[in-house]
Amino acid sequence: MEQRLDAIAQLIAQGRPDKAAQLASEARANFPLAVEPARLHGVALFSMGRLDEAVVALREASALEPRSVETLCNLGSVLLARNDVHAALTVMQSARLIAPGHAAVLNGLGNALRAAGDARAARDTYEAAARAAPEFLGAWLNLAAAELALGQPAQCERIARMVLKQTPNAQAYLLLAQSLAAQHLLDEAADACREGERVSPGNPDLPYQLGQIADELKQPGLAAEAHARALQIDPNLSGALAQLVFIRRQLCDWRDLDRLSGRLREAVAAGASDVAPFGFLAEPATAAEQRVCAMQFAAAVGRRIDPLAARPQFRHAQRAPDAPLRIGFASNGFGNHPTGLLTVAFFEALSARGVDLQLFATAASDGSPVQQRLQAAAGAWHVLVDLPAAGMAERIAASELDILVDLRVWGGGNISEALALRPAPIQVNWLAYPGTSGADWIDYVIADHQVLPARLCQYFSEQVAWLPRCFQPSDPGRAVGQPPVRTECGLPASGAVYVCFNNSYKLDARSLERMFAILRGVPDAVLWLLAGPERSDANLRAQAAASGVDPDRLVFMAKLPHADYLARYRHADLFLDTATYNAHTTASDAIWAGCPVLTSAGETFASRVASSLNHHLGMTELNVADDAAFVEFALRVGRERSVRDALHARLAVLRGQGSLFDMDGFAADFMALLQAMAHRHRTGQAAAPID
């Protein structure tokens, strides 16, 4: 029998588990009381992905020899793969009682503890395994990963480098890259990925990680190439596909993009949980698809931060119904950033009302005047930069908030894992992420009836709290100065100027085609765009040429200080909005600077923001029905000076009359919503729509 067992083990090692399972099944029939055929049968079934059958086989093997730690380790691994964390933990704790110093047992127990969300205990157990068998590289690598998860990237780096001195290990290179990136040593992290790829060219995780790092380095071309390599190695790596599609949109590189976008939507429909919801908003997807994407992504975050579903982690004091509110806002944009620019005057209005305002910053200080105003408005300023999720959650919980408003959600800031631990009793999605969070730890989304009409509520996991005004605040204290003359801005001395200063990823083919149709109909007009990354401007000019438009009629503005950028709108006749993902902060900027925004509302939150701004401004004529009406309206503005003069004059009057830029009124309405949320919670009622 020994030769047969060796043959089975070799088949498993050679990647032929089907043949191994067949031989193991025959051996079990011939030797029903022998533990090893049953154990190998379970391992072969595990290798084939037949997890339930593998558990049965390994439990039968364990019954034949209850003190076989090898069998128990195999069983624990299969149970973890099946997401049966409780059972895996029990099995590995039993194995430790039998062999308390066994390195493989300790390593397996560490895996179970990590899956159970106990990162500190997992780290200690991995360390014990590594000390018990210093040659056991798997235990050292697991220890490094645990250190990284606990916010100790330098420790992770030290262990990864130690392993790499012994062997060129792909996992060690990956951990080294991740630890360096966590320490903001991005160029070194990219080098580690490249070296790992050289050592292990068939490992998709290394180019995928390089793509993430290149994105942080603002090198989208490199990022796209890296994600494409990862996807070539593993076509099912939907996270790489999502990143590739989003980066290609940033680069305005539409080669084969429709097919890739279709693949991405199919991956979401098939259950992919690693498609970033923010990038998915730029796809021509429905609100229902956006909800599916967000819910799957949020569920994966929840499993990662709290696999045993033990939330909430914190006890929240019960306050009297009339007690003053303690309100927190979290963002990575509390500075010279669109979020900071939108919210600063609103926060100042809250502060003037005596609101106990706590701001939680997840990005490094930029020292900008906007950030100084934010800090002055805050009752307390909390810096959460580089803290692990548990550390962030502990800091938030210590503030004893009634309500925490997440200003970014999936838009960046790395705070979602902390919020999954429920550091505040009521948690709210507002402003910067124009869609549903899909997260069971977010109770409400704040919107208005134009941007989120009742018919679309079914596509939101949150309860909707509607403001009686536009959901988006702004800063009415900004001065709009005089720009340089047209020619110094790269514009012709005369002719209509259409503008779209949206980020390049919003410039999809549909939006550009209607812009090009307008240019074809107004021969002396130009289209003024924000300069994009790398070859994006050249790609857009090539698209213009292919559409029968002189590429030189596309004028690109480099990114400028905010005041200088605002002043440029004085040269613009009409802002041409993008269809799938509207101008948001940019639309507010344009209106404040006196440039009307032409838009057509879609059926998703992201495609309705500009129409909400126009609606509450009182210029609903700028919210047209479809692409044909969009082109027709823009042609009339471009061809008739009197039409655009009247439009600008009307905007100048309405801007100062309505509610759109009234931040004191905004603060009053916003606090009324929060009071209603708190009242429901304090009186024992579940979250419900608030109107």
Side-chain angles (χ1 to χ4, degrees):
M1 183 175 71
E2 189 172 338
Q3 288 183 341
R4 185 178 298 184
L5 295 177
D6 287 342
I8 295 169
Q10 287 178 15
L11 287 168
I12 294 171
Q14 293 166 3
R16 299 173 60 193
D18 50 346
K19 182 63 175 176
Q22 179 186 340
L23 292 180
S25 180
E26 293 171 0
R28 292 185 68 185
N30 293 329
F31 304 97
L33 299 180
V35 63
E36 196 62 5
R39 187 188 72 81
L40 289 173
H41 190 205
V43 173
L45 292 167
F46 180 24
S47 299
M48 296 169 68
R50 292 159 60 177
L51 303 184
D52 292 341
E53 295 172 74
V55 168
V56 171
L58 289 166
R59 287 200 184 281
E60 289 172 350
S62 186
L64 291 169
E65 179 48 74
R67 296 184 64 81
S68 169
V69 293
E70 192 171 14
T71 301
L72 291 172
C73 287
N74 294 151
L75 178 57
S77 297
V78 178
L79 290 167
L80 281 180
R82 203 174 63 165
N83 291 320
D84 196 343
V85 179
H86 280 295
L89 200 53
T90 299
V91 165
M92 295 316 302
Q93 286 168 339
S94 298
R96 189 176 191 179
L97 290 174
I98 296 168
H102 194 293
V105 169
L106 291 167
N107 188 63
L109 178 59
N111 291 339
L113 289 165
R114 182 168 62 177
D118 193 343
R120 288 183 175 84
R123 178 191 59 189
D124 294 344
T125 308
Y126 288 137
E127 186 173 22
R131 299 303 178 195
E135 74 285 356
F136 187 3
L137 295 184
W140 286 109
L141 292 170
N142 282 334
L143 174 59
E147 295 284 15
L148 187 62
L150 287 168
Q152 301 295 326
Q155 285 292 86
C156 176
E157 179 191 354
R158 180 185 62 80
I159 296 167
R161 290 192 186 281
M162 181 193 71
V163 170
L164 288 170
K165 285 182 180 179
Q166 302 175 56
T167 179
N169 181 279
Q171 185 66 18
Y173 276 116
L174 181 63
L175 286 165
L176 177 59
Q178 291 170 336
S179 64
L180 291 167
Q183 297 173 80
H184 310 294
L185 302 170
L186 297 178
D187 289 318
E188 292 181 44
D191 288 341
C193 288
R194 293 188 185 96
E195 186 61 23
E197 277 198 81
R198 187 187 66 77
V199 167
S200 182
N203 185 325
D205 295 334
L206 288 158
Y208 178 71
Q209 185 66 45
L210 178 58
Q212 303 286 73
I213 293 165
D215 193 45
E216 284 194 65
L217 285 167
K218 308 299 183 188
Q219 297 177 10
L222 174 61
E225 291 171 4
H227 286 305
R229 286 199 306 277
L231 200 59
Q232 189 171 22
I233 297 167
D234 182 359
N236 296 317
L237 193 58
S238 47
L241 174 62
Q243 291 297 318
L244 175 60
V245 169
F246 188 57
I247 293 167
R248 291 273 295 274
R249 291 198 183 282
Q250 293 176 56
L251 294 171
C252 301
D253 180 356
W254 299 332
R255 293 170 301 163
D256 204 28
L257 194 54
D258 287 344
R259 184 185 66 82
L260 290 172
S261 177
R263 277 182 60 188
L264 183 59
R265 293 170 70 182
E266 289 170 2
V268 169
S273 61
D274 56 352
V275 174
F278 179 79
F280 195 66
L281 294 179
E283 297 309 302
T286 64
E289 289 175 293
Q290 290 177 359
R291 173 175 174 154
V292 169
C293 178
M295 291 185 72
Q296 289 168 178
F297 193 83
V301 169
R303 288 192 298 271
R304 186 165 64 248
I305 193 67
D306 186 20
L308 296 185
R311 289 176 271 146
Q313 298 283 327
F314 300 98
R315 293 182 180 274
H316 304 297
Q318 187 67 32
R319 293 194 175 96
D322 58 348
L325 291 186
R326 290 176 63 83
I327 309 300
F329 293 83
S331 178
N332 67 342
F334 287 148
N336 188 26
H337 180 280
T339 299
L341 294 165
L342 285 177
T343 57
V344 63
F346 161 61
F347 286 144
E348 289 168 340
L350 286 181
S351 180
R353 289 174 166 270
V355 175
D356 186 355
L357 182 63
Q358 313 275 315
L359 299 186
F360 297 87
T362 64
S365 173
D366 64 9
S368 63
V370 171
Q371 186 171 82
Q372 292 169 21
R373 288 172 61 189
L374 289 164
Q375 290 174 331
W381 178 270
H382 307 271
V383 179
L384 306 184
V385 180
D386 292 337
L387 287 177
M392 286 187 181
E394 287 166 3
R395 291 281 297 277
I396 295 168
S399 298
E400 298 183 336
L401 303 174
D402 291 288
I403 300 173
L404 176 65
V405 182
D406 184 358
L407 288 169
R408 299 298 292 162
V409 191
W410 304 125
N414 195 33
I415 200 172
S416 292
E417 290 189 357
L419 267 59
L421 297 173
R422 273 285 180 182
I426 303 171
Q427 299 183 161
V428 180
N429 167 12
W430 176 56
L431 191 60
Y433 180 73
T436 182
S437 68
D440 61 8
W441 57 84
I442 300 290
D443 305 292
Y444 291 95
V445 60
I446 293 176
D448 62 65
H449 280 288
Q450 180 68 20
V451 78
L452 181 50
R455 70 177 185 276
L456 297 182
C457 291
Q458 61 183 307
Y459 305 120
F460 278 69
S461 61
E462 307 91 339
Q463 299 296 330
V464 183
W466 283 285
L467 284 166
R469 59 177 65 231
C470 181
F471 81 103
Q472 186 186 88
S474 190
D475 180 8
R478 295 169 294 166
V480 182
Q482 289 297 326
V485 298
R486 285 173 57 131
T487 53
E488 290 182 24
C489 296
L491 300 170
S494 62
V497 176
Y498 297 105
V499 64
C500 181
F501 288 152
N502 278 351
N503 281 315
S504 58
Y505 64 83
K506 298 183 181 183
L507 296 170
D508 59 359
R510 174 188 167 193
S511 300
L512 262 296
E513 181 47 45
R514 64 189 190 187
M515 292 179 190
F516 293 153
I518 294 162
L519 290 181
R520 288 193 296 268
V522 187
D524 64 343
V526 294
L527 176 61
W528 204 5
L529 301 168
L530 183 66
E534 296 182 5
R535 288 191 52 79
S536 59
D537 298 354
N539 288 336
L540 287 172
R541 284 195 163 118
Q543 290 290 334
S547 295
V549 173
D550 182 351
D552 290 338
R553 295 175 67 194
L554 271 58
V555 179
F556 293 93
M557 180 190 75
K559 289 189 177 181
L560 296 169
H562 192 71
D564 296 334
Y565 145 75
L566 277 182
R568 284 348 188 239
Y569 279 112
R570 290 187 180 274
H571 288 318
D573 293 302
L574 184 66
F575 190 109
L576 302 179
D577 195 19
T578 41
T580 302
Y581 198 138
N582 284 175
H584 294 180
T585 306
T586 313
S588 179
D589 288 341
I591 292 169
W592 178 250
C595 177
V597 176
L598 179 64
T599 192
S600 56
E603 286 297 302
T604 65
F605 194 120
S607 66
R608 301 181 63 84
V609 172
S611 73
S612 173
L613 289 162
N614 284 337
H615 175 84
H616 291 93
L617 175 67
M619 295 189 71
T620 54
E621 68 270 28
L622 291 164
N623 296 342
V624 297
D626 52 32
D627 289 353
F630 187 98
V631 172
E632 180 184 356
F633 190 104
L635 289 175
R636 191 164 68 252
V637 171
R639 290 168 176 169
E640 300 178 36
R641 180 81 255 178
S642 61
V643 172
R644 52 185 185 262
D645 286 347
L647 201 60
H648 281 245
R650 181 163 147 74
L651 172 56
V653 171
L654 290 174
R655 189 187 67 172
Q657 290 182 346
S659 66
L660 194 58
F661 298 103
D662 171 17
M663 289 304 99
D664 187 62
F666 191 102
D669 290 341
F670 197 93
M671 285 305 298
L673 276 192
L674 298 191
Q675 291 282 6
M677 294 176 193
H679 178 77
R680 292 193 64 84
H681 184 266
R682 290 173 174 182
T683 55
Q685 301 177 73
I690 298 172
D691 192 352

